[in-house]
Amino acid sequence: MSDNSRWVRPLGTSTDAAWPTAVTADGRDWRHTSLRVTTLAPGESRVVDAGDWEHIVVPLSGSAEITAVTSDAQVHEAQLAGRSDVFAGPTDTAYIPAGSRITLRAPAGPVRLALTGARVTGDLRRGVPGGHSFRHLSAAEVPVERRGAGNASRQVRNFGTPEVLGADALIACEVVTPAGNWSSWPPHKHDTARPGEESALEEIYYFETAPVDARCTDPVGYQRVYTSDAGRPIDVLAEVRTGDVVLVPYGWHGPAIAAPDAHLYYLNVMAGPGPERAWLICDDPAHAGVRETWPDLPFDARAAHCRPAGPARPTPRTPGGAE
């Protein structure tokens, strides 16, 4: 039986007040991560009291102004130079520690932005007394990784990974997959704590799609999640468009597939209950051997230049539509 109704959130089906996309902890299915996406008109602002949540602000299109008053009463401000769309390259981001009051503003033009989050409790403020500090990371500082090869080529932007950004629990990155390619491949998992081998992390996938030419009027992608542990069955096969979200609480996940006529983008948000902030994965042994083929295959250069034929925008459809 499909679990799409439980773990897939088509655009418009998971909202919260002024946030058209909102995934927050419910204490049952979802505990450690959050994602909010909204568009601010020129001059518009939004205030968020972070409480026990740390955040990374990610402009999806346009530029943003950030003010954060942290728990020590310090005021931090940042101008986040954005981009035309998610396929245009990395963007400036801002890390904001838990306990802050956050003000998000659109300057001269509109901005569509994502607010990624992870729950931080007292015993999870790791590495730095009182937690980590506010940081503005410029686009030029974001390590861009070429991952895979052949039709598994994709670009990964590691703005919020442990090697790049100090944080208490939150891990985040962006992935761009050229039309016709497979990403999140081989399928992998991070649902069991095995020190030095695998982390226990729940994960959010936020998707955007863009046509390769004007003849594609319904750009789509696909995401698969399936059982790794008989005690925690899961079966997700979702058709995704711009603004859709897939939640991965556990299990093997992959591939994320870009249709032949549309590029695929996703924003990953991860966190878990463990004492160490680490992104350690385990490949599905049924497919892990594909990694051995990559040294003999060329990397698909389109991964660095996935320019859409037109603007990436939500496809009009009835909320709760095709999964």
Side-chain angles (χ1 to χ4, degrees), residues 149 291-298:
R291 292 186 185 273
E292 299 174 11
T293 70
W294 291 344
D296 299 322
L297 296 174

Side-chain angles (χ1 to χ4, degrees), residues 47-262:
V47 177
V48 176
D49 286 312
D52 291 335
W53 292 75
E54 61 182 347
H55 294 90
I56 300 176
V57 182
V58 184
L60 301 173
S61 63
S63 301
E65 298 176 345
I66 310 298
T67 299
V69 181
T70 50
S71 59
D72 57 2
Q74 295 295 307
V75 178
H76 305 267
E77 296 183 335
Q79 307 284 330
L80 303 187
R83 51 195 171 179
S84 58
D85 58 65
V86 295
F87 296 95
T91 180
D92 286 17
T93 58
Y95 169 78
I96 304 169
S100 300
R101 183 176 176 84
I102 307 166
T103 302
L104 311 169
R105 289 185 299 273
V111 58
R112 189 162 52 89
L113 54 81
L115 184 65
T116 70
R119 186 191 298 276
V120 177
T121 58
D123 59 349
L124 284 180
R125 293 179 180 268
R126 306 171 180 133
V128 177
H132 287 269
S133 301
F134 178 94
R135 183 180 175 190
H136 173 195
L137 188 75
S138 71
E141 296 177 274
V142 176
V144 177
E145 175 187 357
R146 297 187 352 162
R147 188 175 296 174
N151 63 356
S153 301
R154 60 271 199 191
Q155 181 192 85
V156 184
R157 305 167 185 159
N158 291 308
F159 63 85
T161 53
E163 298 78 15
V164 176
L165 180 72
D168 289 303
L170 181 57
I171 299 172
C173 67
E174 298 177 314
V175 180
V176 174
T177 307
N181 283 11
W182 286 29
S183 200
S184 289
W185 193 257
H188 58 279
K189 72 182 184 78
H190 37 72
D191 60 11
T192 303
R194 295 185 297 142
E197 296 184 42
E198 183 181 353
S199 308
L201 303 168
E202 65 181 23
E203 183 169 16
I204 299 170
Y205 277 71
Y206 165 83
F207 291 95
E208 299 205 6
T209 58
V212 298
D213 65 49
R215 290 170 292 185
C216 174
T217 59
D218 184 18
V220 301
Y222 297 87
Q223 170 76 356
R224 178 77 169 121
V225 186
Y226 59 99
T227 300
S228 63
D229 175 355
R232 295 182 292 180
I234 187 168
D235 183 5
V236 171
L237 178 57
E239 183 175 276
V240 295
R241 296 170 174 81
T242 293
D244 291 348
V245 171
V246 174
L247 305 181
V248 183
Y250 41 75
W252 303 115
H253 44 289
I257 305 172
D261 57 359

Side-chain angles (χ1 to χ4, degrees), residues 39-45 105-111:
T39 299
L40 300 179
E44 186 180 2
S45 63
R105 289 185 299 273
V111 58

